[in-house]
Amino acid sequence: MSHGKPDHETLDPAADHKPIDYPRPDGEVTFDLMSSVFLSNTNHDEDQPVHLKVADLELQKSSELGTYGGPSAYYCPAGVYEWVEAAEGKAAGMTFRINAQNCVHCKTCDIKDPNQNIDWTAPLGGEGPVYVNM
Ligand code: SF4
């Protein structure tokens, strides 16, 4: 059975679409990402090896952000990826911030990144969300 093309090949350039103006979470029916990550009791050792690896940061900036509009900041359910202004200021452009401690290990980034440039690996010692307490 075929499922068509791989998921990462289904993204269009951001310029082909209008930005979506999502409503703010109301705290009753919809919730912000960080409140939901808090409920997952996600925990990682401070000094564990990096489990989210970006192979080519320049490609991430030119293509993932430049062409596709930074979808990682939208598809990651835990707000791990952010494009933020570089510490050196606006002229230095945007920098890719990875909040790996929030990762809930859904593996979406490994599947969805348009260039297959993000590699998710299993966290040390099975750390992450404590689903049994949810
Ligand atoms: S595995 Fe899931 S939660 Fe973790 S960084 Fe990737 S998309 Fe985000």
Side-chain angles (χ1 to χ4, degrees), residues 29-123:
V29 177
T30 57
F31 301 90
D32 65 277
L33 286 180
M34 288 308 105
S35 298
S36 299
V37 171
F38 175 75
L39 290 174
S40 75
N41 289 308
T42 295
N43 187 41
H44 300 92
D45 275 348
E46 288 291 321
D47 58 352
Q48 79 157 257
V50 175
H51 76 278
L52 300 165
K53 295 174 184 149
V54 180
D56 183 342
L57 277 171
E58 281 309 310
L59 176 65
Q60 201 67 6
K61 191 170 183 176
S62 66
S63 180
E64 203 262 351
L65 177 63
T67 302
Y68 293 99
S72 56
Y74 302 99
Y75 64 60
C76 174
V80 168
Y81 302 107
E82 295 178 287
W83 283 103
V84 295
E85 200 173 288
E88 300 81 21
K90 244 187 184 126
M94 303 295 274
T95 190
F96 198 42
R97 180 185 292 162
I98 302 175
N99 305 301
Q101 73 279 11
N102 291 346
C103 180
V104 296
H105 307 299
C106 66
K107 207 174 187 301
T108 303
C109 51
D110 196 287
I111 295 165
K112 193 71 180 174
D113 181 74
N115 303 296
Q116 294 294 274
N117 196 30
I118 299 177
D119 186 26
W120 172 91
T121 56

Side-chain angles (χ1 to χ4, degrees), residues 14-21:
D16 292 354
H17 298 276
K18 283 187 197 157
I20 299 171
D21 187 17

